[in-house]
Amino acid sequence: MKASEKIIEFLLWLAAAITILITVGIIWVLLSGSLPFFQEVSIVEFLTAKQWTPLFAQKRFGIMPLVAGTFLTTAIAIAVALPIGLTIAIYLNEYAPSRLKRTIKPLLEILATIPTVVYGFFALTVVTPFLQSFIPGLAGFNALSPGIVMGIMIIPMISSLSEDAISSVPKSLREASYGMGSTRLQTAFRVMVPAASSGIIVSVILAISRAVGETMIVAIAAGQQPRLTLNPLVPVETITTYIVQVSLGDVPHGSLEYRTIFAAGIVLFIFTFALNNLSFWIKKKYQEKYD
Amino acid sequence: MSKKPIKVEAKDVNAYYGDFHAIKGINIAMEENTVTAFIGPSGCGKSTFLRIFNRMNDYIDGFKTEGEILLDGQNIYAKNVQVDELRKKVGMVFQKPNPFPKSIYENVVYGLKIQGVSNKAALTEAAERALKQAALWNEVKDNLNKSALALSGGQQQRLCIARALAISPSVLLMDEPASALDPISTAKIEELIHELKEQYTIVIVTHNMQQAARVSDTTAFFYMGELVEHAKTKTMFTNPKDSRTQDYITGRFG
């Protein structure tokens, strides 16, 4: 082998190795930061206590309120994004003329390119006042508004990945369905969507993972008040926003309060890591094999 | 043979893919409970013409059909015709087996379910009847909930035939149904076609002239989008009128 090829091969290896090293490094930082925390706070208390007040005089370290906030905003986002995203995917595949499809897909992608801080601002100043006009009990900061806006943000993720999944279903199945007198709608929902289900599920899991890790929208519009509730009308705090709050605040480095963000970070990491692996596993295991 | 009533008839049918004139002024009549074979070299329009009978070309961008196709005397291209209703009467079996990624049972009852049949007993009965008609019942009766994709290619194709039969069409269109199968599976399908013509009017596109000779009552030879000749299969293969038919069936081109 020529020397130049060896150098190139080494550089390629290096690029891959650095990526893995950084990942390992992040896990190391999270673990080494949270280990001292768990020496002072038991994991049982961390997982079961119903309050999260590390910055108050009366300190409680129950992660559940933050998990609940994360779960609530994510659930709202998926409730918005899944039906709309899937409808768009089906429309593009089964109904839209190919020229329209070529126009709409890139337009949708724009939704994903808007900076999240703009979305957050939009949630706080437009969506919340709009919702307040017909939901009287809605607080100025709440889970509903950022949840909806986050849902809008992840629509292209679901629509695009689901559309890919549906369009990779062989044409012959569509013909079989039409050939037996199915309408387009029946073909879409009884043949195409089930045949593409693994890809659609993967798109949803990746969207959930994105929503769980989303920070800016909820930091701006959800209110930063840890609260163990599933009520979408009141202020909540997610894991991500708590980390922002402490990182930007004047909590002294090395204190127990400071270490809470590593504990919160590791919970967040476990969630997104598990979701991404789940999607990878589903893709591998359930992807229908067509020749 | 000419005593049987005419089931399907094409009158002055022309079809175009954009500017390409694919089907040129075809007239043909097919009698009830007969098997008609469409033969001809690749690209001669036989498959395109077959798909005109259940309007399967409707979804192709730029495809245009002119003329009349009469099914039981009714023009299926008339404005008031519901395409999905038409396809319940004119079933289709495709070149490559295309079962849905569902269980064997769900494949067979699919057509009935989309028509709104939900009675479990009726569905089970229809599934058994269709699978028996397609000569697949004995092989799958203990495994109806197994995935259809786990069947062999020949079994999959018979499953697709069962699926088409379950909704009781009166015409069955078969687009090279055995071209992707091994000789034993092919023989089974051909035997099946013999039995099915008691109840159905069958049109089969095939590349295989021996197959056409074995299964069909009449044969139609297509060339460059034209119907060159349509006659009783025996006559066609022993005494063709047109020199192009003669050349094709003796293997001089194709």
Side-chain angles (χ1 to χ4, degrees):
Chain A
M1 204 190 293
K2 273 196 276 180
S4 62
E5 284 222 23
K6 279 209 159 170
I7 293 169
I8 288 170
E9 193 185 314
F10 173 74
L11 287 175
L12 293 175
W13 177 85
L14 195 67
I18 287 175
T19 328
I20 293 170
L21 272 177
I22 290 174
T23 313
V24 171
I26 289 173
I27 297 173
W28 170 249
V29 167
L30 284 175
L31 281 176
S32 63
S34 57
L35 225 62
F37 172 82
F38 285 116
Q39 276 160 4
E40 288 187 55
V41 178
S42 79
I43 289 194
V44 177
E45 190 200 339
F46 183 66
L47 293 179
T48 57
K50 293 190 174 67
Q51 279 171 312
W52 178 259
T53 54
L55 307 180
F56 293 2
Q58 179 79 21
K59 292 190 191 338
R60 301 300 304 273
F61 297 98
I63 191 77
M64 278 307 152
L66 298 185
V67 172
T70 304
F71 173 78
L72 185 58
T73 48
T74 300
I76 293 167
I78 297 300
V80 170
L82 178 59
I84 298 178
L86 196 55
T87 306
I88 292 172
I90 290 170
Y91 173 75
L92 288 180
N93 241 294
E94 305 296 315
Y95 293 91
S98 55
R99 219 182 53 208
L100 187 70
K101 183 173 164 178
R102 281 198 302 274
T103 322
I104 288 184
K105 259 193 123 177
L107 281 178
L108 271 172
E109 305 288 337
I110 292 178
L111 279 179
T113 65
I114 297 172
T116 52
V117 65
V118 176
Y119 273 119
F121 190 67
F122 178 68
L124 184 65
T125 61
V126 178
V127 178
T128 298
F130 170 70
L131 292 173
Q132 275 171 329
S133 67
F134 56 88
I135 306 176
L138 189 67
F141 292 105
N142 57 72
L144 186 61
S145 167
I148 291 171
V149 172
M150 209 150 76
I152 295 169
M153 180 187 74
I154 58 181
I155 285 172
M157 229 174 144
I158 291 184
S159 69
S160 185
L161 291 174
S162 299
E163 203 270 326
D164 292 346
I166 296 174
S167 65
S168 69
V169 174
K171 208 180 90 200
S172 64
L173 290 189
R174 188 196 315 257
E175 289 195 324
S177 178
Y178 284 153
M180 306 187 62
S182 309
T183 60
R184 285 180 175 213
L185 200 67
Q186 286 169 331
T187 302
F189 281 100
R190 292 179 185 244
V191 176
M192 304 306 278
V193 169
S197 57
S198 65
I200 293 169
I201 291 170
V202 166
S203 82
V204 173
I205 292 173
L206 291 177
I208 292 174
S209 176
R210 176 79 181 78
V212 165
E214 169 52 34
T215 309
M216 198 49 90
I217 300 174
V218 274
I220 294 175
Q224 308 195 341
Q225 289 179 26
R227 197 184 297 249
L228 187 56
T229 177
L230 290 178
N231 178 1
L233 307 181
V234 295
V236 295
E237 181 158 52
T238 67
I239 301 174
T240 51
T241 42
Y242 173 75
I243 296 174
V244 173
Q245 191 186 1
V246 172
S247 314
L248 299 180
D250 42 15
V251 174
H253 273 235
S255 63
L256 181 63
E257 292 89 322
Y258 181 74
R259 290 200 191 105
T260 56
I261 65 172
F262 291 94
I266 221 160
V267 171
L268 187 63
F269 178 75
I270 288 171
F271 278 159
T272 52
F273 185 77
L275 286 167
N276 287 335
N277 275 288
L278 183 66
S279 77
F280 188 74
W281 181 77
I282 289 176
K283 211 188 307 192
K284 239 180 123 177
K285 176 142 198 224
Y286 290 103
Q287 202 152 46
E288 303 292 352
K289 299 276 182 290
Y290 303 106
D291 37 334
Chain B
M1 202 173 77
S2 53
K3 277 168 269 160
K4 288 177 182 166
I6 288 172
K7 182 75 186 171
V8 194
E9 190 173 8
K11 283 186 168 170
D12 290 323
V13 172
N14 284 284
Y16 308 82
Y17 289 101
D19 293 333
F20 177 66
H21 196 174
I23 300 294
K24 296 170 184 162
I26 292 184
N27 288 286
I28 190 171
M30 286 163 276
E31 292 166 2
E32 198 158 31
N33 299 342
T34 60
V35 178
T36 304
F38 287 180
I39 62 168
S42 298
C44 67
K46 58 191 189 299
S47 278
T48 303
F49 189 55
L50 184 77
R51 294 159 68 95
I52 282 176
F53 290 97
N54 67 343
R55 296 187 54 171
M56 213 54 184
N57 296 321
D58 284 17
Y59 297 104
I60 298 170
D61 277 344
F63 191 86
K64 202 174 70 191
T65 313
E66 289 166 358
E68 285 187 339
I69 299 282
L70 303 177
L71 172 68
D72 297 321
Q74 304 288 316
N75 181 14
I76 65 167
Y77 281 85
K79 279 224 165 62
N80 59 352
V81 170
Q82 295 268 333
V83 180
D84 19 311
E85 292 302 320
L86 162 72
R87 293 191 185 134
K88 288 168 192 167
K89 289 184 244 164
V90 184
M92 188 163 208
V93 176
F94 298 83
Q95 186 170 357
K96 255 174 60 179
N98 55 357
F100 299 127
K102 301 172 188 271
S103 71
I104 295 168
Y105 173 80
E106 286 297 331
N107 263 279
V108 183
V109 300
Y110 176 81
L112 291 168
K113 279 195 168 174
I114 58 166
Q115 291 182 22
V117 179
S118 59
N119 182 317
K120 190 92 176 59
L123 290 174
T124 313
E125 200 189 304
E128 182 175 340
R129 181 179 51 80
L131 286 167
K132 279 181 175 161
Q133 275 189 312
L136 189 60
W137 175 250
N138 287 331
E139 290 156 65
V140 301
K141 65 182 174 201
D142 300 322
N143 295 309
L144 290 178
N145 292 319
K146 210 168 82 173
S147 166
L149 300 179
L151 297 173
S152 74
Q155 289 174 322
Q156 287 189 5
Q157 192 63 305
R158 277 179 284 145
L159 177 64
C160 292
I161 294 174
R163 184 175 64 184
L165 297 180
I167 53 172
S168 313
S170 54
V171 178
L172 196 59
L173 307 174
M174 304 178 109
D175 190 357
E176 300 189 44
S179 67
L181 304 181
D182 62 85
I184 293 171
S185 303
T186 304
K188 280 189 182 161
I189 302 267
E190 289 181 5
E191 202 180 320
L192 193 54
I193 293 171
H194 262 297
E195 287 162 21
L196 291 176
K197 79 171 180 185
E198 303 292 324
Q199 293 174 60
Y200 305 91
T201 305
I202 298 174
V203 187
I204 175 172
V205 165
T206 177
H207 256 113
N208 179 330
M209 275 173 285
Q210 284 77 31
Q211 185 170 66
R214 283 192 299 263
V215 302
S216 68
D217 300 303
T218 70
T219 297
F221 173 61
F222 293 81
Y223 187 62
M224 310 269 281
E226 285 174 48
L227 173 61
V228 176
E229 196 170 347
H230 178 210
K232 281 190 184 175
T233 300
K234 240 182 215 158
T235 321
M236 188 89 156
F237 281 97
T238 51
N239 192 13
K241 282 198 202 102
D242 195 288
S243 63
R244 287 171 295 178
T245 317
Q246 170 98 40
D247 288 349
Y248 181 70
I249 60 176
T250 54
R252 237 164 273 170
F253 71 93

